[in-house]
Amino acid sequence: MEPASSAGLRLNDLSGWAFLRVCEGECGSAFLTLTLRESSDFNYQMCLSEVREPLVDLGISEYGILSAISTLSDTQNDLGLNQQQPSSSSEPFYSIDEITLFRQIALDLQRSFPNHWSLMGQSPEAIEGQAKLFRVLIAYAKYNPQIGYSQGMSYIAAVLLMQLGEEEAFWALTALLDKPRYLAELFDLSLTKVQHQVKVFDQFLKNRKAQLSKYLACLLCSVPL
């Protein structure tokens, strides 16, 4: 594991990069998020209210989502078994897809900047930070069901939450993931843009670090996608 100072330096660099990218445009991030809100029918607060219904039914709080991973795993397994059996008279208020989504995001919350005070630990600030990150990621998955949630989104959302308010961070995340000039298509199932970025990096490595590129190729580390 890296020293905290080193991780902090990388995190500050990443935060600055993301914040500057989001602030590009005539009036910066405020203009961008306001435009997105006004042009979309999506209501962030209403979405969160709908998300809380299955959580309440499960007896889980968004402020204790990390401690509920085992409960989510058990529920996911139970729902998978129940799908193979005749339905009972009392249907739950949640689906297996929702439980899978909750569980995947909860697992990734543990991996997102483990050395940052606002996300890890049991302090009030960390618990609030985890809940905010969970809400932003769940809301984006509901906002864009074609993409849903993918690993890696939690790091981007976490950085935005370090710079912006919760709802503003959500709209900034939608801009980064939906706008072609930013990170659009990096998380779609086709992986087209990811493959393009890998090829670009491969060429960059060959041109700038030819010896290292040849060494990695000999180790069979360069696997074509």
Side-chain angles (χ1 to χ4, degrees):
M1 182 176 294
E2 292 181 272
S5 59
S6 174
L9 178 61
R10 291 199 318 155
L11 177 57
N12 289 336
D13 292 343
L14 182 56
S15 301
W17 173 85
F19 187 63
L20 288 174
R21 294 289 292 177
V22 171
C23 288
E24 284 183 353
E26 295 179 9
C27 299
S29 63
F31 173 80
L32 180 60
T33 55
L34 180 61
T35 301
L36 284 171
R37 285 181 195 171
E38 291 180 344
S39 62
S40 175
D41 295 330
F42 187 83
N43 186 301
Y44 182 74
Q45 295 302 330
M46 186 178 297
C47 173
L48 295 184
S49 297
E50 294 172 355
V51 166
R52 289 187 179 107
E53 291 180 8
L55 289 176
V56 170
D57 195 40
L58 286 163
I60 295 174
S61 167
E62 63 209 76
Y63 293 96
I65 194 67
L66 292 183
S67 61
I69 291 176
S70 61
T71 299
L72 292 170
S73 298
D74 292 341
T75 304
Q76 184 180 16
N77 292 333
D78 291 342
L79 288 173
L81 291 174
N82 290 338
Q83 283 185 339
Q84 304 171 11
Q85 302 173 356
S87 59
S88 61
S89 56
S90 59
E91 295 293 335
F93 294 106
Y94 45 80
S95 67
I96 189 171
D97 290 337
E98 286 182 304
I99 301 304
T100 301
L101 177 63
F102 293 158
R103 179 179 175 275
Q104 185 58 62
I105 292 177
L107 286 171
D108 286 350
L109 292 183
Q110 300 179 109
R111 307 161 181 157
S112 304
F113 299 117
N115 294 323
H116 198 272
W117 61 270
S118 69
L119 289 171
M120 283 298 147
Q122 295 300 316
S123 68
E125 294 84 1
I127 293 173
E128 179 64 32
Q130 293 160 11
K132 286 181 178 180
L133 183 55
F134 176 77
R135 291 193 293 263
V136 167
L137 294 171
I138 283 286
Y140 181 78
K142 298 291 184 180
Y143 168 84
N144 191 347
Q146 289 78 20
I147 300 298
Y149 173 76
S150 296
Q151 285 186 317
M153 289 182 182
S154 59
Y155 289 94
I156 301 171
V159 169
L160 293 171
L161 282 168
M162 293 171 196
Q163 304 287 351
L164 305 169
E166 180 179 333
E167 189 168 351
E168 191 176 10
F170 163 77
W171 288 110
L173 181 66
T174 65
L176 285 170
L177 299 184
D178 293 357
K179 299 290 184 181
R181 69 187 296 189
Y182 297 125
L183 304 177
E185 301 173 1
L186 278 176
F187 293 97
D188 66 18
L189 296 178
S190 72
L191 299 179
T192 302
K193 196 165 186 176
V194 172
Q195 293 175 4
H196 172 73
Q197 296 295 339
V198 170
K199 291 178 181 178
V200 170
F201 178 77
D202 186 50
Q203 289 300 317
F204 175 83
L205 197 62
K206 288 178 180 177
N207 293 331
R208 304 298 288 270
K209 298 290 182 179
Q211 188 173 358
L212 176 59
S213 177
K214 291 179 181 178
Y215 177 74
L216 292 176
C218 291
L219 293 177
L220 301 179
C221 290
S222 179
V223 180
L225 294 178

